[in-house]
Amino acid sequence: MRKLKHLFENNRAWAERMTAHDPTFFQKLSSQQSPEYLWIGCADSRVPANEIIGLLPGEVFVHRNIANAVIHTDLNCLSVIQYGVEVLKVKHIIVCGHYGCGGVRAAMQNQEYGLIDNWLRHLKDIYQRHSEVLDSLDDAARFEHFCELNVIEQVYNVCHTTIVQGAWRRGQALAVHGWIYGLGDGLLQDLNLCITSADDIQALYRMAVQSSLL
Ligand code: CO
């Protein structure tokens, strides 16, 4: 007997619904994908990229990991960015964090979790960079603000990849955005960070850090 039968049933029903709505849907998709957006988000099961922004399969290229981190030596994330920017030619890269992020929370604590502590080390570095402000807040505000700062820092990292720098140098239109999602209301917030050229990075990064405090 097939394992996880209910998931296969769900899948069949979904494929039928999609085909009923558009008989050529899967046919068209299987021949090519041309998404305009690359989504870099948290692996959290409550933050499904396509659903949150109401996009169909084929419309958003997705990379997710714990705490939506963009690490300069992470070949997985860099390969997604490279393929997205250079082959699919996405026009927007969206780094989307979320409030209540377990990865961000873990990076604020001293508890040991094993292998993942090495991944969270990058977030702990971010905390260190902003510790003066973060340490001055109460626990709830500190957690929220750290979630926001993490997005801003990851946008900064995306902008400094050789891939994005190269795209801008070639004159390719590419915007990098920082958003945050609320688990409690299902709503996205723009962190007022949208970078479209190498010249804008420093000033817009500083402005986003400052305005996230207001
Ligand atoms: Co998370």
Side-chain angles (χ1 to χ4, degrees):
M1 192 181 124
R2 204 181 243 171
K3 309 281 189 221
L4 301 177
K5 206 165 168 243
H6 61 294
L7 299 186
F8 285 88
E9 283 164 8
N10 286 352
N11 166 251
R12 185 166 289 277
W14 171 77
E16 277 167 11
R17 276 199 310 277
M18 298 299 284
T19 312
H21 185 71
D22 176 1
T24 61
F25 182 73
F26 291 110
Q27 228 174 334
K28 280 185 295 191
L29 261 191
S30 60
S31 62
Q32 66 154 10
Q33 63 163 340
S34 54
E36 270 190 39
Y37 314 95
L38 163 58
W39 173 280
I40 299 174
C42 184
D44 193 303
S45 63
R46 298 165 294 181
V47 194
N50 281 71
E51 280 178 74
I52 288 175
I53 47 180
L55 293 183
L56 290 168
E59 293 182 323
V60 56
F61 197 52
V62 175
H63 178 78
R64 290 167 68 183
N65 62 38
I66 291 180
N68 43 272
V70 178
I71 315 295
H72 289 305
T73 50
D74 175 10
L75 283 179
N76 183 354
C77 183
L78 292 179
S79 299
V80 170
I81 296 175
Q82 195 229 328
Y83 191 77
V85 170
E86 294 181 7
V87 181
L88 298 176
K89 302 226 175 339
V90 297
K91 294 188 173 68
H92 303 271
I93 299 177
I94 298 157
V95 177
C96 185
H98 66 102
Y99 294 115
C101 182
V104 171
R105 171 58 102 187
M108 290 169 67
Q109 298 166 337
N110 287 321
Q111 204 181 326
E112 284 185 22
Y113 292 94
L115 175 70
I116 192 185
D117 293 328
N118 298 289
W119 183 255
L120 296 177
R121 185 63 249 173
H122 297 286
L123 270 78
K124 287 175 189 268
D125 290 342
I126 293 173
Y127 191 101
Q128 206 61 38
R129 201 168 306 142
H130 300 278
S131 60
E132 209 172 309
V133 169
L134 289 168
D135 286 342
S136 71
L137 303 170
D138 67 38
D139 193 51
R142 179 161 61 240
F143 186 21
E144 276 197 5
H145 190 51
F146 191 21
C147 289
E148 293 165 355
L149 286 173
N150 180 45
V151 172
I152 294 167
E153 292 288 343
Q154 305 309 339
V155 165
Y156 189 83
N157 288 346
V158 170
C159 292
H160 281 99
T161 57
T162 52
I163 305 149
V164 172
Q165 292 278 320
W168 283 334
R169 223 178 1 255
R170 292 192 301 274
Q172 186 176 337
L174 181 63
V176 185
H177 309 258
W179 295 356
I180 194 155
Y181 174 76
L183 294 175
D185 59 11
L187 295 177
L188 284 168
Q189 260 184 72
D190 192 331
L191 288 172
N192 293 319
L193 185 54
C194 171
I195 301 178
T196 56
S197 79
D199 297 337
D200 290 342
I201 302 173
Q202 295 303 334
L204 293 178
Y205 164 81
R206 272 196 300 273
M207 266 168 56
V209 170
Q210 273 157 18
S211 69
S212 71
L213 271 173
L214 303 174

